[in-house]
Amino acid sequence: MKSNILFLVIDSFRSDKCYDKNKTSITPNIDSLIKQGIFFSQAISSVASTFPSMGSIFTGMFPFKTGMIDNTYQKLNPEIPTYIEHFKKNGYTTFATTSEVNSFLGLTEDFDLKLESSTHNNYFSLFDGLGEKIVNKLKSLSKEPWFFYVHINDLHQPIIVPKNYDDAQFGETSYERMVSAIDSWIGILLKKINLDNTLIILTSDHGEYVRSLKINDQLIDLESGMGEKTLWKIGNKVPAKLYGPKKKISSYLHKMRSSSREKKIKNLSLSKYEERILKTSRMSLDSHVYDDLLKVPLIFVGYNIKLNNIVSQQVSLVDIFPTITELIGLKNLTSNIDGISLIPLFTNQHLDEKPIFIQSIPHITKNHQNYVGVRTSKFKYVRDAKSHKNFELFNLLDDPLEEHDISNNFPEIVTKMENILQDY
């Protein structure tokens, strides 16, 4: 028997907002998945942008190998095989909810059915009908085995929380309240799933800055207001042929919002971390590779997984599909991948930790600062993408908020990390 596969990607979902003692959202269903399966608390995306991240996940390769860089970053190299093609060749019927993401990635032809779009440019919420369509589709699936890729955009900024969840009992911020709302829908979904013959993977493409902090017991909340959310809804109705003008207007509004946020916090005494998350956007000109943007949840539960285990070892999102392939008994896609199977960690066996290549969001404008780097569970090394200048080194164990550059104190570690980057 081949296992069915439900691949849930919650866009912009941070690891600490999924499983952490300080989260304020209510997530009984996600908590149940963790208790029944394997949760990786240090899963790292190589890039904080949907298209190159998903291209990396579906190929098992770091983004720079997939062709998704600079002005091509929204299109996967068609000569690179994907795991979706691999599954289809091995008898799987494949489904997806996100037609535009698949199209940009060159994956459209790999899916036999596309439900209503749930992409950023044509926002379709779980709570506006998409959730019901997904559940109904699951109920109708009769031909097995199937692979179903569900990409949820309700956590993508700006967040529009359903009215019945927009209350402090479901979280301090709109971000965490939306996590509670998504969890409730996951509970409905799980009632339609037989975990004996279905493997569920829950993860995200990247994290996000949540512009809300408690400073001296006072909540400083700079998350998107209703004005921004209204503009977002209007923007979603702009036809694709007007994407260029829409992007220019969006850039202008982004600058206005950034200026407004700076005025609100200019008199506050902020740490480097506090200033960063309150002022910075994931799409800023100097968007970096901090863990707020790269550390995401990763849960495996269901078929062939029988225990509750929290794994703290660093793993990469390129490891997801090599792991799935081994779990369901297929040969791997190709030897030319960066991902590895994580199955030894499922049973507490030893698996060497691999340094992970990381990069900032690919940009085609000259003003953007592009970064590349390498992350291990202890150190993160980052530098300018086009030169060996402006490098930084962070000790993630002593400085998890990445506030203190120690590169001048440890030149030997900088050299070692740069050599790993050069090897990649």
Side-chain angles (χ1 to χ4, degrees):
M1 181 185 71
K2 292 181 181 178
S3 166
N4 301 315
I5 303 167
L6 178 62
F7 186 50
L8 288 173
V9 177
I10 303 176
D11 200 293
S12 306
F13 197 13
R14 292 165 48 135
S15 182
D16 62 335
K17 301 300 182 181
C18 174
Y19 181 82
D20 188 271
K21 63 181 180 180
N22 295 320
K23 77 179 181 71
T24 62
S25 54
I26 308 299
T27 57
N29 298 296
I30 293 176
D31 295 346
S32 176
L33 290 177
I34 293 172
K35 289 177 182 178
Q36 296 178 72
I38 314 290
F39 176 74
F40 291 89
S41 63
Q42 199 173 182
I44 306 299
S45 171
S46 281
V47 57
S49 180
T50 299
F51 298 126
S53 178
M54 295 311 303
S56 183
I57 290 170
F58 280 130
T59 61
M61 297 180 179
F62 291 133
F64 68 90
K65 290 186 177 181
T66 66
M68 304 184 76
I69 55 175
D70 300 330
N71 62 339
T72 65
Y73 87 97
Q74 291 184 335
K75 192 68 175 178
L76 184 69
N77 183 342
E79 296 182 3
I80 295 177
T82 71
Y83 277 91
I84 310 307
E85 295 169 335
H86 187 49
F87 289 167
K88 291 190 72 171
K89 291 176 181 177
N90 283 275
Y92 276 80
T93 305
T94 57
F95 306 89
T97 59
T98 59
S99 58
E100 188 177 20
V101 171
N102 304 334
S103 178
F104 275 121
L105 292 174
L107 290 173
T108 302
E109 65 276 12
D110 297 334
F111 291 86
D112 297 320
L113 171 76
K114 296 178 288 294
L115 298 177
E116 295 285 349
S117 173
S118 62
T119 64
H120 311 327
N121 293 328
N122 187 15
Y123 187 83
F124 192 44
S125 169
L126 285 176
F127 307 97
D128 288 338
L130 177 62
E132 184 178 358
K133 285 177 179 287
I134 293 169
V135 170
N136 288 338
K137 184 60 193 175
L138 275 173
K139 288 164 59 178
S140 70
L141 294 179
S142 57
K143 183 182 178 182
E144 297 184 343
W146 47 260
F147 174 91
F148 199 168
Y149 162 41
V150 175
H151 196 111
I152 299 168
N153 275 302
D154 293 75
L155 264 184
H156 191 281
Q157 297 287 348
I159 297 167
I160 304 172
V161 183
K163 288 183 179 180
N164 54 331
Y165 283 89
D166 198 8
D167 186 277
Q169 66 176 307
F170 296 109
E172 288 184 344
T173 67
S174 60
Y175 185 100
E176 296 202 84
R177 292 172 191 179
M178 181 56 85
V179 170
S180 297
I182 292 172
D183 182 84
S184 69
W185 175 81
I186 289 175
I188 297 172
L189 183 71
L190 291 177
K191 293 178 181 179
K192 311 301 178 185
I193 298 294
N194 179 358
L195 291 180
D196 291 332
N197 69 349
T198 304
L199 174 64
I200 298 178
I201 302 92
L202 187 151
T203 190
S204 182
D205 48 355
H206 55 75
E208 185 58 273
Y209 290 118
V210 179
R211 296 193 196 94
S212 180
L213 282 175
K214 269 193 173 179
I215 301 177
N216 298 325
D217 292 327
Q218 179 184 358
L219 183 65
I220 309 299
D221 189 355
L222 300 183
E223 292 192 280
S224 303
M226 281 310 300
E228 184 176 349
K229 294 172 183 178
T230 300
L231 288 171
W232 180 267
K233 282 187 172 182
I234 294 172
N236 289 335
K237 298 178 181 180
V238 175
K241 63 182 180 181
L242 296 178
Y243 180 73
K246 172 186 172 182
K247 193 171 184 180
K248 290 181 180 179
I249 294 173
S250 176
S251 178
Y252 172 76
L253 291 174
H254 171 72
K255 290 179 181 178
M256 294 289 289
R257 291 192 295 269
S258 296
S259 176
S260 175
R261 283 193 292 267
E262 289 200 20
K263 289 179 181 179
K264 291 180 180 179
I265 62 175
K266 68 178 182 179
N267 294 322
L268 295 177
S269 178
L270 302 174
S271 68
K272 284 185 178 180
Y273 176 74
E274 291 168 343
E275 183 174 3
R276 179 201 312 158
I277 66 170
L278 290 176
K279 287 185 176 182
T280 311
S281 161
R282 185 171 56 87
M283 302 300 291
S284 296
L285 293 178
D286 59 347
S287 181
H288 208 278
V289 288
Y290 295 114
D291 273 2
D292 300 75
L293 305 180
L294 299 184
K295 188 185 284 188
V296 299
L298 178 58
I299 303 170
F300 287 81
V301 65
Y303 180 81
N304 267 357
I305 298 174
K306 303 297 183 184
L307 72 161
N308 169 25
N309 193 8
I310 308 296
V311 179
S312 60
Q313 180 169 318
Q314 172 183 278
V315 300
S316 172
L317 296 193
V318 297
D319 300 328
I320 292 176
F321 276 87
T323 305
I324 295 173
T325 301
E326 184 172 347
L327 276 170
I328 62 177
L330 297 183
K331 292 182 179 179
N332 214 333
L333 177 63
T334 172
S335 60
N336 188 34
I337 59 172
D338 299 298
I340 58 175
S341 171
L342 302 176
I343 287 181
L345 297 177
F346 286 20
T347 53
N348 298 314
Q349 298 177 52
H350 175 76
L351 182 66
D352 288 338
E353 178 186 289
K354 292 182 63 177
I356 297 174
F357 171 85
I358 53 177
Q359 69 176 71
S360 58
I361 299 173
H363 292 291
I364 60 175
T365 59
K366 294 181 180 179
N367 295 330
H368 277 94
Q369 179 70 46
N370 291 325
Y371 299 92
V372 293
V374 175
R375 189 192 192 278
T376 67
S377 59
K378 186 172 183 179
F379 293 107
K380 180 183 286 184
Y381 168 71
V382 184
R383 66 163 168 81
D384 182 276
K386 295 184 179 180
S387 71
H388 291 202
K389 299 177 181 179
N390 303 321
F391 52 81
E392 298 172 286
L393 180 70
F394 300 101
N395 185 324
L396 299 175
L397 299 182
D398 297 336
D399 178 29
L401 300 182
E402 302 170 84
E403 294 182 299
H404 307 290
D405 173 20
I406 60 171
S407 58
N408 289 333
N409 299 329
F410 297 93
E412 71 283 1
I413 298 177
V414 169
T415 300
K416 180 180 179 181
M417 299 291 270
E418 174 63 30
N419 289 338
I420 294 172
L421 182 60
Q422 289 294 332
D423 287 343
Y424 277 136

